[in-house]
Amino acid sequence: MKKLFTLWRRNDEPHTPSSHLALHRTSTGPHTQPGYNLRNKDLKKLHKAAAVGDLEKVKDYLQLKKHDVNIRDRGYRTPLHLACAYGYSNVVSLLIEKQCKIDVWDSENRSPLTKAVQCKKENCATILLDQGADPNLVDLHGNTALHYAVCGQSVSLVKKLLEHKANLEAQNKDGYTPLLLAITENNVEMVEFLLKRGADTNASDKNQRTALMIALSDEPTSLVSLLLQQEVDLSCQDIYGFTAEEYASFNGFTIYHHLIASYGKEKEVRKISTKDRILDTTIDKEELKEGKKIKQNK
C-alpha cells in the first residue's frame, strides 16, 4: 500500500517531493472491505431476513405491517442496505416494490447504492440506478459510488455510474477524483477508461498534486507515458512548489525526467507554431482588406 503523507520530517532533511508527499491510498479513501460487521443483537427481524436473502420471510414480515420497510437497526442501516451489501437482488426488488426509500444513509453516510458498489454487487447497483438512485451522494469521507467502483477495479460499474450522471470529477476529502484514485491503484485499464471519458488530467488533490505527480511519486509505470499523451500542464506545482518534472528528477527517474522535458519542449514548439499560424492568418486577412480598399479607390 502506498503512502500519501509522511508523518514527520527531520529539520535537517532536504526538501524534496518524496520527503514531503510520498504516496499511499488516502486515509479517507474508499475502504473495500465487503459487507457489514453484523451482530445479531443489533438487527431487527426484517434486517436478519434481508441480510441472508430470505425472500419469503421478508414478504411475511412486510405483509404483517408490523415492520416498517425503512426500519433502522442499531447500525442505522435499513433492510435495503443489507440486501445490497450481500447481493440479494430479489430482496432489493421486493423492498423497492414496497416503496422503501432508496437514497438513505447508514452510520457512515453510505447509501444502499454506495454499499452495493463497494461490495461489487453489480445487479443490485443496476436495479437501484434504474430506480433513480443518486450516484453522487457522499459518505463521511466525501467518497461517491464512483470512487468505490474505481477502487473496486470494476470498469463495468464505473461505466454504469457514468451513464447515470455520476460526477467524473467528484473529489473526496483528500481531493482525490476517481482518476487520481485509479492512479494510486496503478490501474492502467481504469485510467485509460477514465481518460477516454474525459477525466481532467490536471485535477489535483488537496496537496495540489496532479495525476502526473502522483504517478511519479512511486516507481513509475506505463501510466506516466500514458498521461504524457494527454494535455497535461507541466507548470502545475504542489503545495511545496514542486512540478512533475522535479518529482521525476528528485526521485531519480531519469528516463521519465527526459520524457517530461521533451514533452515540455514539444508543447512549447506547438504553441509557437500555433501562434505563427494565427499571426499568418491575421496578416493574410489584413492584406486582403487592403487589397479590397485599393480596388475600391480605383
Side-chain angles (χ1 to χ4, degrees), residues 169 179 195-196 198-204 210-212 223-236 244 260 262-272 274 277:
E169 301 303 331
L179 175 63
L195 289 174
K196 285 178 183 176
D200 183 3
T201 54
N202 296 311
S204 57
T210 62
L212 187 56
L223 286 176
V224 174
S225 300
L226 178 61
L227 290 168
L228 287 174
Q229 294 170 29
Q230 315 301 314
E231 284 297 317
V232 294
D233 184 355
L234 295 182
S235 67
C236 291
I260 292 168
S262 299
Y263 175 88
K265 288 176 183 176
E266 288 174 10
K267 198 170 183 181
E268 194 59 38
V269 168
R270 287 200 301 271
K271 279 184 182 177
I272 294 169
T274 302
R277 284 199 300 272

Side-chain angles (χ1 to χ4, degrees), residues 84-102:
C84 287
Y86 295 102
Y88 296 113
S89 56
N90 55 348
V91 176
V92 170
S93 296
L94 175 63
L95 292 170
I96 290 174
E97 182 186 320
K98 297 297 182 180
Q99 300 184 330
C100 70
K101 292 179 181 178
I102 294 176

Side-chain angles (χ1 to χ4, degrees), residues 4 23 26 147 170-172 174-177 180-181 184 205 209:
L4 178 62
L23 184 69
T26 69
H147 287 95
Q171 292 181 295
N172 65 17
D174 282 320
Y176 271 54
T177 64
L180 296 182
L181 277 178
T184 70
D205 65 10
R209 293 180 308 168

Side-chain angles (χ1 to χ4, degrees), residues 131-170:
Q131 292 297 319
D134 186 348
N136 295 311
L137 297 177
V138 298
D139 68 8
L140 289 177
H141 304 298
N143 298 302
T144 66
L146 193 56
H147 287 95
Y148 282 97
V150 167
C151 277
Q153 302 184 3
S154 175
V155 172
S156 60
L157 265 174
V158 169
K159 184 178 179 181
K160 283 184 181 178
L161 288 164
L162 291 175
E163 287 171 353
H164 287 81
K165 311 299 183 186
N167 182 4
L168 184 57
E169 301 303 331

Side-chain angles (χ1 to χ4, degrees), residues 68-91:
D68 181 0
V69 71
N70 296 307
I71 191 172
R72 304 276 188 166
D73 67 5
R74 289 186 180 180
Y76 212 60
R77 300 165 293 214
T78 66
L80 185 62
H81 279 100
L82 297 177
C84 287
Y86 295 102
Y88 296 113
S89 56
N90 55 348
V91 176

